[in-house]
Amino acid sequence: MIDWTTVVEILAAIGVGAAIGLVTARRIAMTAMPQLVAAFHSLVGLAAVLVGVAAYLNPQAFGISDLVIPLIGQPFAVIHPVSRIELGLGVAIGAITFSGSVIAFLKLNGNMGGKPIMLPARHVINIALLAAILGLIAYFVTDQSAWIFWTITVLSFVIGFLLIVPIGGADMPVVVSMLNSYSGWAAAAMGFTLHNSAMIITGALVGSSGAILSYIMCRAMNRSFISVIAGGFGQSSDAGGPAAASDRPWKRGSAEDAAFLMSQAEQVIIVPGYGMAVAQAQHVLREMGDKLKAEGVRVKYAIHPVAGRMPGHMNVLLAEANVPYDDVFELEDINSEFAQTDVAFVIGANDVTNPAAKTDKSSPIYGMPVLDVEKAKTVLFIKRSMGGVGYAGVDNDLFYRDNTMMLLADAKKMVEDIVKALD
């Protein structure tokens, strides 16, 4: 017989959640989308933990226990051994996802600094905590005591925090991708507890696809996949710094200069970055590209795999502005063309265009493949001011090259002025 009270409660909960999600998604700015994704990941992890707690406190309601009546005393529910493993893993992965996503949100939202926070002996601590969690899960199979369950939960919250804190801002897109994978595995583990095939399948798809995407991004950044999982692959960000800008000569240009150079070019490659997202400049950028095409200029867009704050951030923004898909190229497909390009137009892409990644071993982004914009005949670089640095916290050597002209202004305002100058 259908329990209509329960049905109404479930539908009401779904309605409240859907309303909150709809309002949040409609109000959130595109520039804050990475923070929103991290926040949603944290909710998935927290949901997994809460389901695990509910299943542990009332296992009979979930059908994962047998009622045992001892000779003396009150009857109690004995959780099935397999279900204890599922509970332990689900709660552990969910707690790691929650606390790790909260730290990622705080870093992306600017509530915490983007620089890595290096804890002494962090790898030893992480390995010890992970071993303790796995050992306790194994012990939980033989003893379902409350202290074991709650210790697993608390230690998992702690290790999630410790895994993400040492990671620097330049590597945050990989972190978001990994947390996406973790949230999938947490959902899959809870699917076993709930005997829900849909959750198992969906969680496994999200978990595996997130892991694959993370691996691809690690290769694009020349990072070790294992080091991502272990956490703390960020490095000190002391190399370079904002003060360097006042010590080195650089050239400043105007919207009219940029319009003239690009209108006379045979090919222009546009490199968007987070600065474009902040300024909401994607629509006027596409308008500029259309005007250049009308004058016979070949226009292409170069996308770095980790440009922005999350995987595919720039692709989404360009698609929103109806930039033709055939004009958008990934790093490995377009890097060889910069040497034959008249103008590279960089709009807010800092770390992913920094030549120091190829030459400065002390740089926190050393070894990360970058777009070879410095090889273009002329580089036009839009930036608010010379005092700021990228999310990795290092100055960009590209600013001071002889072939670079800095366009200091709000990105949207500068592109609008260029469009006017092209008329």
Side-chain angles (χ1 to χ4, degrees):
M1 184 175 179
I2 299 176
D3 185 350
W4 289 107
T5 302
T6 302
V7 171
V8 171
E9 290 176 348
I10 293 173
L11 292 177
I14 293 174
V16 171
I20 293 173
L22 179 63
V23 172
T24 302
R26 288 177 66 87
R27 290 184 176 181
I28 201 75
M30 184 60 72
T31 52
M33 195 59 64
Q35 294 95 300
L36 181 65
V37 171
F40 282 167
H41 287 164
S42 73
L43 295 179
V44 174
L46 183 59
V49 173
L50 294 177
V51 170
V53 170
Y56 177 74
L57 296 177
N58 191 8
Q60 287 181 289
F62 289 79
I64 60 173
S65 70
D66 295 319
L67 188 64
V68 174
I69 302 177
L71 294 175
I72 301 175
Q74 295 295 322
F76 63 92
V78 177
I79 301 174
H80 301 150
V82 173
S83 297
R84 296 184 199 182
I85 296 175
E86 296 165 0
L87 271 180
L89 290 175
V91 168
I93 299 173
I96 292 171
T97 303
F98 173 76
S99 56
S101 297
V102 168
I103 298 302
F105 171 84
L106 294 175
K107 283 180 174 262
L108 290 166
N109 204 45
N111 302 108
M112 288 183 65
K115 293 184 178 181
I117 300 174
M118 298 301 183
L119 302 176
R122 63 188 183 280
H123 294 304
V124 175
I125 295 173
N126 290 344
I127 292 173
L129 285 174
L130 182 60
I133 292 169
L134 294 176
L136 286 169
I137 291 174
Y139 188 37
F140 189 53
V141 176
T142 61
D143 183 353
Q144 66 178 59
S145 298
W147 74 268
I148 301 175
F149 178 81
W150 293 114
T151 302
I152 292 171
T153 305
V154 171
L155 291 181
S156 299
F157 278 125
V158 171
I159 196 173
F161 169 83
L162 294 177
L163 286 174
I164 306 303
V165 162
I167 298 177
D171 301 313
M172 201 50 63
V174 184
V175 173
V176 173
S177 179
M178 269 320 293
L179 291 171
N180 177 53
S181 178
Y182 291 164
S183 67
W185 296 124
M190 285 301 104
F192 283 102
T193 299
L194 297 173
H195 306 293
N196 190 316
S197 299
M199 281 188 67
I200 296 171
I201 294 171
T202 304
L205 286 173
V206 173
S208 57
S209 60
I212 293 171
L213 177 59
S214 299
Y215 175 74
I216 293 172
M217 295 179 70
C218 285
R219 290 189 59 186
M221 297 178 67
N222 195 30
R223 304 296 194 192
S224 166
F225 184 67
I226 299 300
S227 67
V228 178
I229 298 174
F233 56 89
Q235 301 176 23
S236 173
S237 298
D238 294 334
S246 62
D247 301 327
R248 304 165 67 181
W250 52 277
K251 293 187 293 186
R252 181 169 187 168
S254 65
E256 290 73 20
D257 296 329
F260 175 78
L261 288 169
M262 287 192 288
S263 64
Q264 301 300 310
E266 291 186 6
Q267 176 165 289
V268 172
I269 297 181
I270 299 172
V271 181
Y274 189 64
M276 181 194 75
V278 172
Q280 299 276 313
Q282 60 268 28
H283 295 281
V284 68
L285 185 68
R286 189 220 62 206
E287 184 182 354
M288 184 191 79
D290 290 343
K291 284 187 175 293
L292 289 173
K293 289 179 183 178
E295 296 189 21
V297 181
R298 290 193 308 275
V299 177
K300 297 182 178 181
Y301 297 79
I303 306 294
H304 193 281
V306 295
R309 294 294 182 268
M310 62 182 287
H313 198 179
M314 294 302 105
N315 302 75
V316 170
L317 291 175
L318 294 180
E320 180 192 8
N322 295 318
V323 171
Y325 181 79
D326 292 340
D327 292 347
V328 181
F329 297 85
E330 300 294 336
L331 178 146
E332 62 272 11
D333 298 322
I334 202 169
N335 236 8
S336 60
E337 292 194 32
F338 281 104
Q340 292 81 42
T341 296
D342 298 296
V343 177
F345 186 84
V346 184
I347 175 168
N350 202 331
D351 298 324
V352 298
T353 61
N354 194 339
K358 296 177 284 188
T359 58
D360 185 0
K361 293 185 178 181
S362 66
S363 173
I365 61 173
Y366 178 73
M368 181 179 79
V370 294
L371 292 162
D372 295 333
V373 294
E374 77 277 3
K375 295 182 180 180
K377 294 178 183 177
T378 302
V379 178
L380 301 175
F381 202 115
I382 296 182
K383 197 172 183 292
R384 278 188 174 274
S385 68
M386 292 299 293
V389 294
Y391 204 60
V394 293
D395 202 20
N396 193 340
D397 289 345
L398 183 64
F399 303 158
Y400 315 104
R401 297 292 180 101
D402 291 337
N403 62 332
T404 298
M405 182 181 293
M406 301 300 298
L407 307 173
L408 302 184
D410 173 78
K412 185 176 182 180
K413 179 65 168 59
M414 175 58 71
V415 178
E416 287 174 343
D417 290 343
I418 293 173
V419 169
K420 292 177 183 178
L422 287 171
D423 289 335

